[in-house]
Short mmCIF file of all heavy atoms in Angstrom, two decimals:
data_model
loop_
_atom_site.label_atom_id
_atom_site.label_comp_id
_atom_site.label_asym_id
_atom_site.label_seq_id
_atom_site.Cartn_x
_atom_site.Cartn_y
_atom_site.Cartn_z
N SER A 1045 17.17 25.59 12.52
CA SER A 1045 17.82 26.86 12.87
C SER A 1045 19.29 26.64 13.31
O SER A 1045 20.13 27.55 13.01
CB SER A 1045 16.97 27.53 13.91
OG SER A 1045 16.96 26.77 15.07
N ILE A 1046 19.56 25.57 14.03
CA ILE A 1046 20.85 25.30 14.45
C ILE A 1046 21.74 24.85 13.28
O ILE A 1046 22.88 25.29 13.22
CB ILE A 1046 20.84 24.22 15.61
CG1 ILE A 1046 20.02 24.80 16.75
CG2 ILE A 1046 22.30 23.81 16.01
CD1 ILE A 1046 19.72 23.77 17.84
N ALA A 1047 21.24 23.99 12.48
CA ALA A 1047 22.03 23.49 11.30
C ALA A 1047 22.40 24.62 10.42
O ALA A 1047 23.52 24.64 9.90
CB ALA A 1047 21.20 22.47 10.53
N ASN A 1048 21.53 25.54 10.18
CA ASN A 1048 21.86 26.72 9.29
C ASN A 1048 23.00 27.51 9.86
O ASN A 1048 23.91 27.95 9.13
CB ASN A 1048 20.62 27.58 9.14
CG ASN A 1048 19.55 26.90 8.29
OD1 ASN A 1048 19.85 25.99 7.53
ND2 ASN A 1048 18.32 27.36 8.44
N LEU A 1049 22.94 27.75 11.16
CA LEU A 1049 24.03 28.58 11.84
C LEU A 1049 25.32 27.71 11.80
O LEU A 1049 26.41 28.34 11.66
CB LEU A 1049 23.66 28.94 13.21
CG LEU A 1049 22.67 30.17 13.32
CD1 LEU A 1049 22.15 30.33 14.74
CD2 LEU A 1049 23.43 31.43 12.90
N ASN A 1050 25.20 26.46 12.02
CA ASN A 1050 26.39 25.64 11.98
C ASN A 1050 27.11 25.71 10.67
O ASN A 1050 28.35 25.77 10.59
CB ASN A 1050 26.05 24.13 12.24
CG ASN A 1050 25.68 23.86 13.68
OD1 ASN A 1050 25.83 24.72 14.55
ND2 ASN A 1050 25.24 22.67 14.00
N GLU A 1051 26.36 25.74 9.55
CA GLU A 1051 26.98 25.86 8.25
C GLU A 1051 27.74 27.18 8.09
O GLU A 1051 28.90 27.19 7.62
CB GLU A 1051 25.86 25.83 7.21
CG GLU A 1051 25.29 24.41 7.00
CD GLU A 1051 24.21 24.46 5.85
OE1 GLU A 1051 23.93 25.53 5.37
OE2 GLU A 1051 23.68 23.34 5.59
N VAL A 1052 27.15 28.27 8.58
CA VAL A 1052 27.80 29.58 8.60
C VAL A 1052 29.10 29.55 9.38
O VAL A 1052 30.16 30.04 8.93
CB VAL A 1052 26.87 30.63 9.10
CG1 VAL A 1052 27.61 31.98 9.25
CG2 VAL A 1052 25.64 30.79 8.13
N ILE A 1053 29.02 29.04 10.56
CA ILE A 1053 30.15 28.98 11.43
C ILE A 1053 31.29 28.05 10.91
O ILE A 1053 32.52 28.49 10.96
CB ILE A 1053 29.69 28.49 12.84
CG1 ILE A 1053 28.79 29.60 13.51
CG2 ILE A 1053 30.88 28.16 13.73
CD1 ILE A 1053 28.06 29.07 14.70
N ILE A 1054 31.01 26.98 10.33
CA ILE A 1054 31.98 26.09 9.81
C ILE A 1054 32.60 26.71 8.51
O ILE A 1054 33.84 26.74 8.38
CB ILE A 1054 31.33 24.76 9.39
CG1 ILE A 1054 30.97 23.95 10.70
CG2 ILE A 1054 32.31 23.90 8.53
CD1 ILE A 1054 30.14 22.71 10.41
N ASN A 1055 31.76 27.45 7.77
CA ASN A 1055 32.33 28.11 6.53
C ASN A 1055 33.24 29.20 6.87
O ASN A 1055 34.13 29.64 6.11
CB ASN A 1055 31.17 28.59 5.70
CG ASN A 1055 30.43 27.49 5.00
OD1 ASN A 1055 30.97 26.40 4.78
ND2 ASN A 1055 29.16 27.80 4.58
N ALA A 1056 33.04 29.84 8.16
CA ALA A 1056 33.89 30.84 8.60
C ALA A 1056 35.27 30.30 9.21
O ALA A 1056 36.09 31.14 9.62
CB ALA A 1056 33.18 31.70 9.72
#
Side-chain angles (χ1 to χ4, degrees):
S1045 63
I1046 299 171
N1048 290 338
L1049 280 169
N1050 286 352
E1051 288 180 356
V1052 170
I1053 290 166
I1054 291 170
N1055 289 339

